[in-house]
Amino acid sequence: MTTEHVLEQLPLWIEGDLPDQAAEAVQVHLAACPSCQAAAEQLRTSQLWLKEALEPPFDASDFADLRQKVLGQIRLEQAAPPVRRFAIRPALLAACAALLVIGLAWLQERPHVVAPPLQKPAASPLVAATAIPADPSPPQIQVAQAHSAAVRMRARPREEAKATASAGITRMEFQLPDSNIRIIWLAQATPLPDRNDAPQEAL
Amino acid sequence: MSAWAGSLVMEEGVLSLPEVPVADPLGAIARRIRSGEVDAFGELMALTEQRILGLAWRILGDRELARDAAQETYLRVFRSLESFRLGERFEAWMIRIAVHVCYDLARKRGPRMLPQEALEATAVILEASGAEEAVLQQQRRSLMRQALAGLPQGERTALVLRDLEGLPTDEVARILGVRPVTIRSQVAAARSKIQHHCERLLKRTHGGQP
């Protein structure tokens, strides 16, 4: 073991932090190397001085004071009425946020229908809109039973263009965000005015 | 606390039972506190206040700040007792909390000015030739505290826990959340710097003899 290597190991050797084999090798070297012995002695001295200098300067009154303050604070906290904390779990928060987003998206995308003047509806309205073959007679539009209030549907520009262009039956299809629902609207040849008046009441 | 579980006297003599590791006494008090016996917290403090207050002072180097740190440590210990895992040594868990509290207070305090007394002691010791041993000792203490205060935080904490609190390297590593090899490296560097500090400032005394 070289002197340089031993000098590097001394800070660990001095407090017993070397593995046994390495510690023994240092010990053997120290027995034959006066300069390393002197270095080890200085380290030992500085460690002793450090421990002597860092003896805590507290007495019984300090500890009593500390105990009084801590226990006093604990008693205050114990006596105070419990504070209800509504810990909102991240998962619950995420679920609420998702519902909010879905709701807003539904409000944005929900169909708005300007229904044409209707004739008396059939006796049993269907639950969902169904496709009706082209017919010169006024179309029978079944209103979904679930929508008791008026439904407004925003026609897309291209459908409006079709309606105005055609002289016969106008067929308008509206695909809702739900891919399972498509509303097909058959109108008379004369295009209806584009009006945003009061919605058609459900029948 | 003795680790002996007891002994059995037989006709042939005394038969000593093998050592049985004693359950953590502080852990037992913690269980009592958790079960509602809040007054037992005073017992816990009586058994640990010297260590916690001393540790805080060694890390922070300031008496008042150490008192604040110790108070905050105990309050955090009380409030987070439910999170203590009974498999761990309770005192080690407390020490970890104390170290974090000290770091928080040191951060709020900001960079620390070296105490004036330490700087003056440096000048005096260089001129000392016939000073009283007691005065020299006082000055040496100031110098050692100065040396410790000048270490980087990680090295200082590792040195305090390993050399001054006497904790094993593995436990220091668990408390600080690092590997044992890191602790060995830090304490070796800290010891070297402390010794170098002594060597430089005590050249003109009597060969640095204690």
Side-chain angles (χ1 to χ4, degrees), chain A residues 77-87:
Chain A
E77 289 179 9
Q78 293 277 295
V83 176
R84 284 200 172 197
R85 292 180 183 174
F86 297 98

Side-chain angles (χ1 to χ4, degrees), chain B residues 9 22 53 59 81 143 150 155 160 176 207:
Chain B
V9 178
V22 179
L53 194 49
I59 292 176
L81 263 178
L143 288 167
E155 288 179 10
V160 165
L176 298 182

Side-chain angles (χ1 to χ4, degrees), chain B residues 84-208:
Chain B
F84 168 65
R85 292 167 300 172
L86 289 175
E88 188 183 358
R89 202 168 74 89
F90 188 81
E91 192 177 43
W93 180 71
M94 284 188 66
I95 289 172
R96 187 186 305 125
I97 293 175
V99 168
H100 287 301
V101 168
C102 289
Y103 285 177
D104 289 345
L105 289 183
R107 198 165 33 246
K108 287 178 188 170
R109 173 182 63 185
R112 185 171 161 231
M113 299 294 293
L114 289 175
Q116 189 63 26
E117 59 172 26
L119 298 174
E120 287 170 0
T122 305
V124 171
I125 212 166
L126 291 176
E127 297 172 7
S129 57
E132 296 277 349
E133 183 62 26
V135 173
L136 277 173
Q137 277 188 3
Q138 181 59 38
Q139 291 162 350
R140 196 161 57 217
R141 286 191 196 106
S142 295
L143 288 167
M144 299 312 293
R145 292 172 195 171
Q146 180 189 16
L148 185 67
L151 292 174
Q153 182 173 271
E155 288 179 10
R156 183 167 68 249
T157 308
L159 187 74
V160 165
L161 293 177
R162 177 72 188 93
D163 291 355
L164 301 177
E165 299 296 328
L167 298 175
T169 300
D170 288 350
E171 187 157 63
V172 175
R174 272 195 299 274
I175 287 170
L176 298 182
V178 298
R179 295 181 302 162
V181 66
T182 304
I183 296 300
R184 276 191 283 275
S185 171
Q186 286 178 326
V187 296
R191 289 167 189 160
S192 257
K193 288 174 186 174
I194 297 276
Q195 183 259 326
H196 186 67
H197 190 87
C198 294
E199 199 177 60
R200 190 178 73 242
L201 296 175
L202 294 174
K203 270 180 192 175
R204 300 188 189 186
T205 58
H206 308 289

